[in-house]
Amino acid sequence: MAIDIIIIFIILILGFKFPLLIKFNKKNYNQLKWLWLYHLLFGFIYYYYVSAQGGSDSLKYWDEAKDLTGDMALQLLFEKHGTSIMYVLNYIPSNLMNLSFFTGTILYCFIGYMGFVYFYKIAFDLIPYNYKMGPIYLFPSIFYLPNLHFWSSAIGKDTLLFFCVGLFAYSLMKLDKRIIHVLFSLLLAYLVRPHIALFLLLSFSMAYLMNNKIASYKRIILFGLMLAGGVVMLPSVLEYTKIEELSVQSYESFSETKVKNLSRAHTGSSVDVSSYPLPLKIFTFLYRPTFIDIQSVTALLAAIENFLLLILSIIVLCRKPIKTFKAAPLIIKGLVFFLMIGTVAFSMSLGNLGIMLRMRNMFLPGMLIFILWSMSCHYIKKNRLNLK
């Protein structure tokens, strides 16, 4: 119990001090302190939600790590991906340090918060004008969406991947100084979900190839390196997803099986998307549950959040999104490609609204940052401002 109190105290201090490592000004540092407290609130909510509900993946990841031996942990580390890796990652805090599930939740809450800080820094550095809707500035207000915090404060893969995507994109802003960070984020994503690491490499290699501000030979070299990394990962991705070969037929078969399994396993919020056309599948992944899907208080909150995202998305789509995308910085292009690839892939393989919300979380910052970019560009053009 004593070590739990000490670790929680250290994590709380780290949450307040971490933004100082990223070099923010005083105003933004103060905003990030409030964001840390807000994020912690959702960590507490998630803990009590899981404790009351029971049987969640988070509890399993933490409790089953207590039963591992050192040899078993090493074997899983070098032989497995996905769920088994969660047991390995939790082996030290859960098993060796014997920390409580609550302390583990606070630890993962901090990991998710680091992801927020990285996304915040990307938006702050790359968005030239902070658009105002009525009395509210979009930035950083748009980073206070409840589900964004709820699913990035849990002991689980989604929190780790949210952190990985943020660190990967942030590190690419100064690749020459942060190559170790890039490799670490890719390795962690690869261990947790190999296909997410593949999506990251594919997305940002496409962004580099499109970036005219980088010399052609550098673009080709970076594209080639990222593509080579993707090729190396591909066999593990196919094995992890249980796809026998890389073909449209194999993926469609995998998607249909996945949808049926998820629909059976989670009947409360299951959606039969197998007969949906692709645009409707994409809409379901990005913007449902809607108000017609409400079955609980949490679904109502999600519906309100999705309605806001839908309104903002419609505004962006009405303002020459392709031209705006072409003008975007490399990092924003990469995040949008990541959003597009992930949305198409998961919209075809998920059949449960709750799981869609959770899986969408790592892709959502790309949408939010592009919304900020689009609104900023529109305002600058409309008012003929010349901002860097």
Side-chain angles (χ1 to χ4, degrees), residues 93-196:
S94 176
N95 189 315
L96 298 184
M97 298 178 70
N98 197 30
L99 298 178
S100 68
F101 178 71
F102 178 75
T103 306
T105 301
I106 300 301
L107 173 61
Y108 272 76
C109 199
F110 173 63
I111 293 172
Y113 172 70
M114 287 193 289
F116 272 103
V117 174
Y118 294 132
F119 288 123
Y120 189 107
K121 180 64 172 175
I122 291 168
F124 179 74
D125 284 357
L126 300 183
I127 308 300
Y129 178 80
N130 193 4
Y131 191 83
K132 195 174 184 181
M133 297 188 73
I136 300 173
Y137 284 102
L138 270 184
F139 176 78
S141 303
I142 204 168
F143 284 147
Y144 280 84
L145 296 177
N147 273 287
L148 201 60
H149 290 267
F150 186 78
W151 295 115
S152 58
S153 61
I155 297 175
K157 303 172 191 175
D158 302 289
T159 298
L160 294 178
L161 290 169
F162 187 84
F163 162 77
C164 288
V165 176
L167 177 58
F168 183 80
Y170 163 77
S171 300
L172 287 178
M173 293 171 70
K174 292 185 178 179
L175 180 59
D176 55 333
K177 297 181 179 179
R178 300 171 186 157
I179 185 66
I180 301 299
H181 301 73
V182 170
L183 296 176
F184 172 76
S185 58
L186 271 180
L187 175 62
L188 182 56
Y190 175 72
L191 291 173
V192 175
R193 284 198 185 114
H195 52 293
I196 299 302

